[in-house]
Amino acid sequence: MKILTEHIDVPNIDTIDVFMKHGGYSAVKKAIKTMTPDEVTEEVKKSGLRGRGGAGFPVGMKWSFLAKPEGVPRYLVCNADESEPGTFKDHYLMWKSPHTLIEGMIVSSFALGANTSYIYVRGELMYVINILEKAIQEAYDKGLLGKNILGSGYDLDLFVQPGGGAYICGEETALLESLEGKRGNPRNKPPFPAVKGLWQCPTVVNNVESIAATSWIVNNGGDAYAAIGVGRSTGTKLISASGHIKKPGVYEIPLGITVEDFIYSDEWCGGIRDGHKLKAVVAGGSSVPILPAELILTTAAGEKRLMTYESLSDGGFATGTMLGSGGFVVMDETACIVHNTLTFAKFYHHESCGQCSPCREGTGWMDKVLNRIEHGQGRKEDIDLLVDVAKKIEGNTICPLGDAASWPVAAAIRHFRDEFEWHIEHPELATKPGAVFMRKGASWTK
């Protein structure tokens, strides 16, 4: 079943007339004309929809936390910053079918009692911003935005804001700071955005995919959405699949299929590229722990690993990972784990806002130590030093960027320590162009 991408390949689906011919904006009409805001929220609660930006927090529950003081405006902000390495599904949805998001924004804003809402888009995606602004104008022209929408008495203005060009602005409070025109530094919490968010007013920040799914839920009911998936992992999920697979791309999957099916089925990724074998997978974007082939396909308890929040996290960080943002990066045996870990570490070092000492200093040290290991200058004690630095960052920062920087390093060493040791013990081999560590011994390829 496809919920968000059912019509995504229809010619001109990015225009409002074609979108409406395929049922677009029916959820707006149903919600505004036949439902109360609380009824919309209740359907989202029943659906079990969880935040698709990475945290997986129940969307309906988050909405219910929104403070509603008299005479104070409320805001809905869509987090379309999507700067997580390996993740590109929101970008794809906005590019191909912008009205899918806009319809969800109207439905969600109505449920929250917001009369002004924002879509905060990664600044590098200017062409997507132009697509969204054109689609928003079409919605205004059809009376679906602005004053007295469809004669209901409900008003909503919707704006697109280019991002601040920083990964940290994907954190919801840093996003709000940036939206207010300030430097995108995360805020201390509490107070949470639901109480004091944009301009110190009650605010809900949700991901693109989360908001877009609300239209289908309104049209079909929360129970119908909850019937898709497994357990608390309900509905469908957009997955950004990349790396050493035959068919990279964005896939909408029903939560609950096996990881093995997703990687090897012709319906999805089509398997590992010819002549190679699976080595490791980063399942939910660069910030989640990497897993070797044997643990991504099967849990430590011997059960098939499923594409769900619960199954991927089975075993904790010792043997599990996270679904996260759905940035599914597949690596075959030619991938160098040390090089990959260094690449991630450089990214987080560069993107740290510098506000917290553990993150500001720790990301720099991880970058520095990994760099010398990668370039044949590592020392035996460097591996334990990296683990120690990662522990001192994790849980000691205002926002989750510190965790996001430390988890990939700790997991890479946990599962591929022998590869790090080989780099240190055999620098003359590790520094050869195209050098690759093989678990049965040291080897390299040209």
Side-chain angles (χ1 to χ4, degrees):
M1 172 175 283
K2 292 185 178 180
I3 288 174
L4 301 178
T5 61
E6 181 182 3
H7 304 297
I8 205 161
D9 292 323
V10 172
N12 300 316
I13 196 66
D14 59 324
T15 64
I16 197 166
D17 289 334
V18 174
F19 184 73
M20 293 181 76
K21 284 180 181 177
H22 289 82
Y25 290 104
S26 57
V28 172
K29 296 173 184 176
K30 180 177 180 180
I32 290 179
K33 291 189 173 183
T34 70
M35 301 173 73
T36 66
D38 287 344
E39 286 173 339
V40 175
T41 300
E42 188 58 32
E43 289 301 319
V44 174
K45 281 185 177 179
K46 286 195 296 183
S47 74
L49 173 66
R50 295 168 67 170
R52 301 303 198 221
F57 192 82
V59 173
M61 187 180 296
K62 188 173 186 177
W63 287 7
S64 69
F65 293 156
L66 186 69
K68 298 180 179 179
E70 286 291 330
V72 177
R74 299 187 288 275
Y75 297 101
L76 171 65
V77 177
C78 174
N79 184 347
D81 192 63
E82 194 174 45
S83 299
E84 179 83 354
T87 310
F88 43 89
K89 42 96 178 178
D90 292 341
H91 163 205
Y92 177 76
L93 187 64
M94 292 185 291
W95 164 42
K96 287 285 197 176
S97 186
H99 287 285
T100 299
L101 172 58
I102 294 167
E103 181 177 20
M105 287 294 295
I106 300 170
V107 168
S108 302
S109 298
F110 172 73
L112 296 168
N115 299 113
T116 305
S117 296
Y118 297 88
I119 304 174
Y120 184 96
V121 184
R122 181 178 177 181
E124 292 87 342
L125 300 179
M126 189 55 66
Y127 79 98
V128 171
I129 292 170
N130 293 335
I131 290 170
L132 284 171
E133 288 183 334
K134 178 184 175 183
I136 287 171
Q137 186 58 54
E138 289 180 328
Y140 271 105
D141 294 343
K142 292 285 188 181
L144 294 162
L145 284 170
K147 300 290 185 183
N148 192 25
I149 296 174
L150 300 177
S152 65
Y154 174 63
D155 305 334
L156 176 64
D157 286 313
L158 180 59
F159 301 95
V160 180
Q161 174 64 39
Y167 173 77
I168 193 65
C169 290
E171 194 277 332
E172 62 178 9
T173 61
L175 185 157
L176 296 177
E177 289 285 290
S178 177
L179 194 53
E180 290 177 1
K182 293 177 280 187
R183 191 176 192 270
N185 279 5
R187 300 173 180 173
N188 279 306
K189 294 182 283 189
F192 292 92
V195 178
K196 288 189 176 182
L198 188 63
W199 295 299
Q200 298 300 300
C201 295
T203 304
V204 166
V205 181
N206 279 139
N207 170 262
V208 170
E209 186 182 351
S210 310
I211 292 172
T214 59
S215 301
W216 193 95
I217 292 168
V218 165
N219 277 331
N220 297 275
D223 291 334
Y225 191 88
I228 306 166
V230 177
R232 291 176 54 242
S233 294
T234 63
T236 64
K237 178 78 182 78
L238 295 179
I239 303 293
S240 313
S242 63
H244 298 145
I245 49 178
K246 293 180 180 178
K247 296 168 57 183
V250 175
Y251 296 101
E252 184 173 9
I253 65 167
L255 287 169
I257 67 171
T258 67
V259 173
E260 185 174 7
D261 278 348
F262 181 65
I263 294 175
Y264 291 100
S265 169
D266 289 338
E267 185 177 0
W268 314 114
C269 299
I272 309 302
R273 59 180 180 166
D274 291 340
H276 296 281
K277 295 181 180 180
L278 177 65
K279 178 177 182 177
V281 171
V282 176
S286 65
S287 60
V288 310
I290 189 173
L291 285 183
E294 62 272 17
L295 286 176
I296 192 64
L297 298 178
T298 309
T299 68
E303 299 177 350
K304 289 279 189 182
R305 187 84 71 176
L306 306 180
M307 295 289 285
T308 66
Y309 293 94
E310 293 75 27
S311 182
L312 283 169
S313 64
D314 184 88
F317 281 179
T319 59
T321 184
M322 299 168 66
L323 180 60
S325 61
F328 199 86
V329 184
V330 180
M331 303 175 206
D332 66 22
E333 81 284 359
T334 66
C336 174
I337 300 301
V338 176
H339 179 76
N340 177 79
T341 308
L342 171 61
T343 300
F344 286 167
K346 282 186 178 296
F347 172 81
Y348 288 109
H349 179 205
H350 181 268
E351 295 298 330
S352 172
C353 75
Q355 188 174 196
C356 304
S357 297
C359 181
R360 181 184 66 247
E361 302 299 328
T363 54
W365 274 106
M366 289 194 300
D367 181 358
K368 182 178 180 178
V369 174
L370 282 164
N371 190 68
R372 70 183 180 215
I373 293 174
E374 168 71 359
H375 292 93
Q377 300 169 351
R379 306 172 303 199
K380 287 185 178 180
E381 59 267 29
D382 282 345
I383 298 175
D384 289 330
L385 175 60
L386 284 168
V387 173
D388 185 59
V389 172
K391 285 180 179 178
K392 285 180 168 60
I393 299 173
E394 183 181 356
N396 292 311
T397 55
I398 290 174
C399 85
L401 189 141
D403 295 342
S406 60
W407 290 343
V409 174
I413 294 173
R414 183 183 309 123
H415 298 299
F416 298 95
R417 190 182 186 100
D418 51 356
E419 189 158 344
F420 285 83
E421 291 172 346
W422 179 77
H423 271 256
I424 293 169
E425 294 169 0
H426 302 280
E428 73 286 356
L429 300 181
T431 54
K432 282 182 176 289
V436 177
F437 170 77
M438 302 296 184
R439 287 203 154 182
K440 290 184 179 180
S443 181
W444 63 95
T445 59
K446 293 183 179 179

